[in-house]
């Protein structure tokens, strides 16, 4: 192997993350409040932007706003603003589960919530109205999306939709990165109790640290200025029901050994470059979004390095004046149950909706916020990525020149691939980690 150990690693500016982290930090969680406040905050935050687009689009045609959805009357075209709700028998119901089984568990979600039998409504503080028409049947929609609908009332009292519009992409800061440096996007390591560190994971760490491959590989790895692991770092086994009464089932020593092994593995990467971790559904973090940072006590070796950070899921962070927004993929996977579009297309569409997790809390667990909806996109990122997907790249383009690279990061334990993101060009490429010698 041709190894050049004298190649210096590139260094760039990492912005302070505190101004972004506060959006998703919840502190001590309390679940006594209701979710209706979250929907109310979402609607009132996005409504001014939607009204601006709707008036520009439809008022020149003498089509005007009806302020409340229940005030729609007659066949004259009008437009209304509200939150979409889809009523589907395929959606999970906790009440039905308790009624049928007398037990609450994590139900296996169906493949699709939208199968042609669902009923689509538009809601505001006055009530709800049923949406009908080809425009609704053909549109990419999901529960929780805030939208304006243009159409008229039918004789049955429904709203026949002719056209629709959304909030559009938020303002985007200027991007000024002029260096060909890379961010390594990784997800789905899925370290397990049975095999905490696989051979492919070992080769991955060597590649990132510049100790694997030929001279060309080492020159590339030397330009990697940040590694981000987007969810499912480890696959922590779920204790069986009734584990509190069974001392053997409640044995957490294997999990402790798993965490220690993952800490030792990641510390090798953290010693070479800044390392950020986002929790995923398999990690020991909160189950509902936004997932809180993995506790630093689990990473005694990693936290010795100043570039090591545990972030929320979702998370914003800025590297060399490039703003990134990342998730571990739960939000995109849930959107896929409402449409046959690809995960990348749905992620790009969510930027047009100006919301990264519209299906929360309807079909995606989230914390019942009362002061604001943190999932509203207030600043459009330059890069939006989601972990634990099949690799795919797209671009979301706004009406005011916004442009966001959308990246689906492959699950490493399945694909043995990572993504290298060039911060100057925003071009993406995959690196396949082959453990065979």
């Amino acid at each position: 192997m041709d190894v050049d150990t004298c190649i210096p690693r590139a260094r760039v500016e990492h912005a302070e993350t505190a101004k972004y982290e506060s959006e998703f930090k919840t502190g001590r969680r309390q679940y006594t409040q209701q979710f209706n406040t979250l929907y109310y905050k979402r609607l009132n935050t996005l409504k001014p932007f939607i009204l601006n687009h709707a008036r520009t689009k439809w008022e020149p045609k003498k089509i005007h706003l009806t302020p409340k959805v229940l005030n729609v009357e007659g066949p004259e075209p009008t437009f209304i603003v509200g939150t979409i709700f889809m009523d589907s028998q395929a959606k999970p119901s906790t009440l039905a589960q308790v009624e049928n089984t007398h037990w609450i568990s994590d139900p296996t979600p169906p493949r699709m919530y939208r199968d042609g039998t669902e009923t689509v409504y538009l809601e505001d503080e006055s009530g709800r109205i049923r949406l009908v028409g080809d425009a609704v049947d053909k549109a990419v929609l999901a529960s929780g999306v805030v939208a304006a609908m243009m159409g008229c009332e039918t004789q049955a009292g429904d709203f026949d939709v002719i056209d629709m519009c959304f909030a559009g992409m938020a303002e985007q800061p200027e991007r000024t990165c002029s260096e060909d440096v890379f961010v390594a996007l990784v997800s789905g390591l899925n370290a397990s109790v049975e095999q905490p560190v696989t051979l492919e994971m070992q080769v991955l760490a060597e590649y990132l640290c510049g100790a694997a491959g030929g001279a060309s590989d080492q020159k590339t790895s030397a330009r990697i200025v940040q590694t981000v692991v987007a969810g499912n770092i480890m696959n922590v086994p779920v204790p069986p029901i009734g584990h509190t009464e069974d001392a053997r089932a409640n044995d957490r020593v294997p999990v402790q050994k798993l965490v220690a092994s993952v800490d030792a593995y990641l510390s090798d990467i953290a010693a070479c470059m800044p390392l950020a971790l986002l929790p995923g559904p398999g990690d020991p973090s909160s189950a509902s979004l936004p997932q809180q940072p993995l506790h630093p006590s689990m990473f005694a070796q990693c936290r010795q390095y100043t570039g090591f950070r545990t972030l929320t899921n979702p998370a914003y962070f800025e590297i060399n004046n490039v703003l990134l927004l990342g998730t571990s993929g739960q939000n995109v996977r849930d959107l896929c149950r409402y449409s046959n579009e690809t995960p990348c297309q749905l992620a790009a569409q969510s930027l047009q909706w100006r919301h990264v997790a519209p299906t929360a809390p309807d079909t995606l667990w989230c914390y019942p916020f009362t002061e604001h909806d943190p999932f509203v996109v207030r600043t459009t990122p330059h890069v939006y990525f989601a972990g634990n997907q099949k690799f795919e790249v797209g671009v979301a383009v706004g009406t005011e020149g916004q442009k966001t690279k959308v990246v689906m990061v492959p699950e490493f334990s399945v694909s043995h691939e990572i993504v290298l993101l060039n911060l100057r060009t925003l071009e993406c490429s995959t690196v396949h980690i082959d453990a065979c010698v």
Side-chain angles (χ1 to χ4, degrees):
M1 186 189 307
D2 182 12
V3 178
D4 185 350
T5 59
C6 298
I7 303 175
R9 182 167 297 279
R11 303 290 178 185
V12 297
E13 177 185 353
H14 290 72
E16 191 64 40
T17 59
K19 62 180 178 180
Y20 302 113
E21 285 183 339
S22 59
E23 281 288 307
F24 301 113
K25 287 285 187 69
T26 59
R28 185 177 179 84
R29 293 194 170 196
Q30 295 181 345
Y31 289 86
T32 56
Q33 59 271 45
Q34 298 294 315
F35 284 103
N36 63 318
T37 304
L38 177 62
Y39 281 120
Y40 177 80
K41 293 292 183 182
R42 181 184 305 177
L43 176 60
N44 281 277
T45 300
L46 295 176
K47 192 172 184 178
F49 305 106
I50 294 173
L51 283 175
N52 182 52
H53 285 290
R55 285 174 171 141
T56 301
K57 187 175 184 179
W58 295 321
E59 285 192 346
K61 302 176 183 178
K62 307 300 182 184
I63 300 173
H64 300 286
L65 170 71
T66 298
K68 305 293 183 184
V69 300
L70 292 187
N71 291 344
V72 174
E73 291 183 358
E76 287 297 316
T78 184
F79 68 90
I80 51 179
V81 179
T83 305
I84 292 169
F85 174 74
M86 290 192 184
D87 188 11
S88 170
Q89 293 296 320
K91 287 163 63 174
S93 170
T94 301
L95 292 178
Q97 191 179 14
V98 172
E99 184 180 63
N100 294 332
T101 66
H102 304 287
W103 192 264
I104 299 177
S105 63
D106 185 9
T108 301
R111 194 187 73 83
M112 293 293 292
Y113 296 141
R114 196 175 184 190
D115 56 5
T117 62
E118 73 285 341
T119 305
V120 184
Y121 297 94
L122 194 71
E123 298 181 333
D124 65 9
E125 58 271 22
S126 70
R128 65 167 59 164
I129 189 169
R130 183 182 177 186
L131 304 179
V132 297
D134 289 342
V136 174
D137 296 336
K138 296 177 181 179
V140 177
L141 297 173
S143 262
V145 173
V146 181
M149 299 288 169
M150 188 272 283
C152 57
E153 186 183 28
T154 67
Q155 290 185 346
D158 301 328
F159 193 76
D160 187 7
V161 177
I162 300 171
D163 197 5
M164 62 187 70
C165 73
F166 307 102
M169 294 173 69
E171 293 182 355
Q172 187 176 51
E174 185 180 359
R175 182 170 61 89
T176 58
C177 180
S178 58
E179 299 179 75
D180 281 314
V181 292
F182 299 94
V183 174
L185 300 175
V186 187
S187 74
L189 294 175
N190 287 313
S192 65
V193 169
E194 294 78 14
Q195 193 172 15
V197 180
T198 63
L199 185 55
E200 288 80 9
M201 288 172 60
Q202 291 175 346
V203 176
L204 170 61
E206 291 173 1
Y207 171 79
L208 293 173
C209 296
S216 176
D217 294 315
Q218 291 158 34
K219 287 179 181 178
T220 300
S221 65
R223 307 300 296 171
I224 300 174
V225 297
Q226 170 88 55
T227 294
V228 180
V229 184
N232 287 357
I233 302 156
M234 58 191 88
N235 188 6
V236 177
V238 178
I241 294 173
H243 70 98
T244 53
E245 291 83 23
D246 187 342
R248 291 171 298 175
N250 202 30
D251 180 14
R252 308 308 283 169
V253 171
V255 175
Q256 294 168 0
K257 290 181 178 179
L258 168 62
V259 171
S261 298
V262 170
D263 177 32
Y265 167 75
L266 293 175
S267 67
D268 291 338
I269 302 173
C272 296
M273 71 184 73
L275 173 64
L277 307 180
L278 279 66
D283 296 311
S285 178
S286 49
S288 57
L289 296 184
Q291 287 184 283
Q292 297 305 284
L294 295 168
H295 201 281
S297 65
M298 294 191 295
F299 303 100
Q301 296 185 50
C302 287
R303 64 184 181 182
Q304 297 177 28
Y305 302 100
T306 56
F308 175 73
R309 295 176 292 170
T310 57
L311 304 177
T312 57
N313 169 36
Y316 280 100
F317 48 99
E318 188 176 317
I319 307 171
N320 213 25
N321 297 313
V322 177
L323 182 61
L324 294 89
L325 169 61
T327 80
S328 296
Q330 298 101 308
N331 58 326
V332 175
R333 285 180 180 271
D334 201 54
L335 284 176
C336 289
R337 297 189 178 102
Y338 290 87
S339 172
N340 289 319
E341 300 285 305
T342 69
C344 191
Q345 290 171 327
L346 290 170
Q349 181 62 48
S350 69
L351 294 177
Q352 303 290 348
W353 294 333
R354 209 177 286 207
H355 203 282
V356 296
T359 60
D362 186 20
T363 55
L364 183 65
W365 290 354
C366 80
Y367 181 72
F369 290 91
T370 57
E371 299 299 324
H372 71 300
D373 183 350
F375 305 112
V376 171
V377 180
R378 291 168 172 80
T379 304
T380 296
H382 301 113
V383 179
Y384 174 34
F385 65 87
N388 300 290
Q389 311 294 320
K390 291 183 178 179
F391 176 66
E392 188 180 2
V393 177
V395 178
V397 180
T399 57
E400 299 175 355
Q402 306 97 320
K403 185 176 289 187
T404 298
K405 180 72 72 171
V406 183
V407 185
M408 299 295 103
V409 183
E411 192 173 13
F412 182 80
S413 62
V414 176
S415 67
H416 301 152
E417 289 182 336
I418 67 170
V419 177
L420 292 186
L421 168 71
N422 187 314
L423 290 181
R424 182 181 68 84
T425 64
L426 299 188
E427 292 300 314
C428 294
S429 60
T430 59
V431 177
H432 183 78
I433 304 298
D434 192 350
C436 298
V437 180

